[in-house]
Amino acid sequence: MPLFYPNLFLTTQFRNARSNSFSSILSAANNLVVLLRFLDSRGIDLEQRITNKTFFEVNELDDLRDFTQRKFFSKTVANSVSSMFSMDELEESIGFVESPTQYMRLTTIAEYVWWISHHLLSRPSATESKQIDRIRAHIKSRRPSRKGRNNVEDRSLDDVQLEALFEIIRVGSEFNPFTPEVQRRNRLVILLLYHLGIRGGELLNIKIEDIDFSKHQLKIVRRADEIDDPRINEPNAKTLERILPISETLIKELHDYVTKDRRKVPNANRNGFLFITYKAGPSVGQPLSKSGYNKLMRVVKAVSPQLFFLTGHKLRHTWNRKFSELMDDMDNPPSEAKQEQIRSYLMGWKPSSGSATHYNKRFRQEQANKAALALQKSSGTRLPKDLRNDE
C-alpha cells in the first residue's frame, strides 16, 4: 500500500491546490523520500511525535540538515525488493548534492512537517500553532544560501556559437548529422526554442491546433494529464498560458513541415501534437518524447566543440539576451517596468515572480562591465609603470 500521509500531502498540496506539473510533484516526492529515510534510520516516529507534541530536538534538526546534503544511491524500478540497498548502504557517503537541491529538500520537508502537524492535531491551540510554525521556521533556517540562483553568469549562446548552430541544423548542410527525413523537423525544434524562448516541455506540448497560420500566432497551452498523450513521462508547460507572435518566414516553415513532412509519417494522423517520432517501430507517429528531444540536443552539440554546453534552455537564455539588446538599441525604449511586463508575458512568468528583473539586472551589469573596460583602455586612464605591457 502507498504511504498515506506523504501521498495525501502531494495530492492536496501540490497536485490539486497548485496544479504543479508532473516533474514538480516527482521532485517533491523525492524530497519526502529523503525525510522518510532519515526518520527510519533514526528510529523516529513522526506521527507519534506530533501526537505527543514533542516534535524535533535542535540536534535532530541539525542532523536532518546534514542528512539532506547526501547524495544517495538509487535503484531502477526493474530491480526486485530483495536486491534493494539496505539503509546503511543508502547512507554511505557517495558525495553531496548541490546547494539548490538541498534547499528544495528542506523546503519540502518543512512544509510537510507543518502540514501533517496541522492535519494530525486537527485544531491546535494557539501555543501549539506557534510551536508548529517555529519548527517549520527552524527547518527552513537550515537551508543553504541561494546566492548561486541569481548570479550574473551569462548562460546564453554567443553569436559565434549561434552561427555554428544554424549551419549545423540547415537542411542539406554537410554538417547536419541527421537523416534527410528528420532534418526539417529538427531544424524547427531549434528555431522555435530560439525565436520564441519557450521551454522544452512547452515545445513538446504544442499541437497543430495551437497554431493560427492566418494570424501568425502560436498559443502555449497547459495540458496536465492530457488524455490523448500516450507518453509515460508527459511533458508539460511549466509557465503561464500565452499567445506568441510568429514571423512570416517561421510560420511558412511550420506550414511546410505540417503539410509536406509530418503527414507522410505513419500514424501521424492519430494525434495532434506538432512534433512526432519518425523512427520505424511501435512508436512511429507518436508524440516526440522527452528522451527523443534530449537525444536531438546531444547529437547537435556533438558536431561542434563550440556547442559542447548546448541545451534547449540555453536558447531560452539566449532569447532573453537578444531581448535586452533589442531594448537597449531602441531610440526610445519602454521604461524598465514596461520591459519587465513585456518580458514576463512572452516568457510566461507571473509579473511578481522577479524573473524579468533578474535578466534586466544581468544585462545592466554586462553593460557596466563593458563600460568599465572601455574606460580602462581609454587614453585618460593611466596605469602605473609596473603594470604596463609596454616594451
Side-chain angles (χ1 to χ4, degrees), residues 207-219:
K207 286 190 172 183
I208 298 175
E209 65 188 48
D210 300 330
I211 307 172
D212 191 326
F213 292 98
S214 61
K215 293 183 179 179
H216 295 189
Q217 292 177 340
L218 168 66
K219 187 175 183 180

Side-chain angles (χ1 to χ4, degrees), residues 99-100 103 143-148:
S99 293
Y103 186 98
R143 297 178 299 185
S145 170
R146 302 185 79 179
K147 292 180 181 178

Side-chain angles (χ1 to χ4, degrees), residues 325 363-376:
E325 292 174 350
F363 184 71
R364 283 200 303 272
Q365 177 152 350
E366 290 173 354
Q367 296 301 93
N369 289 342
K370 291 179 181 179
L373 289 174
L375 181 62
Q376 292 174 30

Side-chain angles (χ1 to χ4, degrees), residues 299-346:
V299 172
V300 170
K301 72 179 185 179
V303 176
S304 171
Q306 294 175 319
L307 301 177
F308 181 77
F309 295 105
L310 173 69
T311 63
H313 206 71
K314 279 189 176 293
L315 292 172
R316 185 170 170 86
H317 289 296
T318 305
W319 184 97
N320 275 283
R321 176 174 67 84
K322 291 291 187 180
F323 178 85
S324 296
E325 292 174 350
L326 175 65
M327 294 293 104
D328 192 57
D329 289 340
M330 295 177 67
D331 293 333
N332 296 300
S335 65
E336 186 167 317
K338 188 65 176 178
Q339 289 184 35
E340 290 183 12
Q341 292 176 3
I342 297 171
R343 193 195 298 263
S344 293
Y345 174 79
L346 294 175

Side-chain angles (χ1 to χ4, degrees), residues 168-329:
I168 288 171
I169 64 172
R170 181 172 60 82
V171 176
S173 169
E174 62 178 310
F175 301 106
N176 196 315
F178 302 106
T179 56
E181 60 268 19
V182 296
Q183 286 186 6
R184 190 182 301 275
R185 182 202 68 179
N186 295 350
R187 170 179 162 82
L188 273 173
V189 167
I190 300 295
L191 290 180
L192 287 178
L193 292 172
Y194 171 74
H195 285 293
L196 303 182
I198 57 179
R199 295 176 178 271
E202 294 171 332
L203 176 98
L204 298 176
N205 201 33
I206 296 173
K207 286 190 172 183
I208 298 175
E209 65 188 48
D210 300 330
I211 307 172
D212 191 326
F213 292 98
S214 61
K215 293 183 179 179
H216 295 189
Q217 292 177 340
L218 168 66
K219 187 175 183 180
I220 301 297
V221 182
R222 293 175 65 95
R223 292 191 175 94
D225 300 328
E226 174 71 15
I227 297 176
D228 298 330
D229 194 340
R231 291 170 289 194
I232 296 176
N233 190 359
E234 178 187 346
N236 283 304
K238 185 177 180 181
T239 46
L240 300 178
E241 294 189 354
R242 59 204 185 277
I243 297 177
L244 301 175
I246 304 179
S247 68
E248 185 174 353
T249 303
L250 187 55
I251 202 73
K252 185 180 184 305
E253 285 209 36
L254 282 168
H255 187 268
D256 289 345
Y257 163 71
V258 172
T259 57
K260 297 178 182 179
D261 288 51
R262 186 185 182 281
R263 64 183 302 183
K264 297 178 183 178
V265 180
N267 304 322
N269 61 347
R270 294 187 179 181
N271 71 83
F273 288 94
L274 177 62
F275 294 114
I276 56 177
T277 300
Y278 281 51
K279 186 178 180 180
S283 64
V284 64
Q286 290 190 359
L288 183 65
S289 64
K290 287 184 179 180
S291 60
Y293 166 79
N294 292 329
K295 181 180 178 181
L296 186 159
M297 289 297 172
R298 289 197 302 270
V299 172
V300 170
K301 72 179 185 179
V303 176
S304 171
Q306 294 175 319
L307 301 177
F308 181 77
F309 295 105
L310 173 69
T311 63
H313 206 71
K314 279 189 176 293
L315 292 172
R316 185 170 170 86
H317 289 296
T318 305
W319 184 97
N320 275 283
R321 176 174 67 84
K322 291 291 187 180
F323 178 85
S324 296
E325 292 174 350
L326 175 65
M327 294 293 104
D328 192 57
D329 289 340

Side-chain angles (χ1 to χ4, degrees), residues 147-161:
K147 292 180 181 178
R149 182 175 176 82
N150 291 322
N151 60 39
V152 294
E153 177 189 358
D154 187 4
R155 289 176 284 176
S156 66
L157 300 181
D158 60 34
D159 291 339
V160 175
Q161 291 172 313

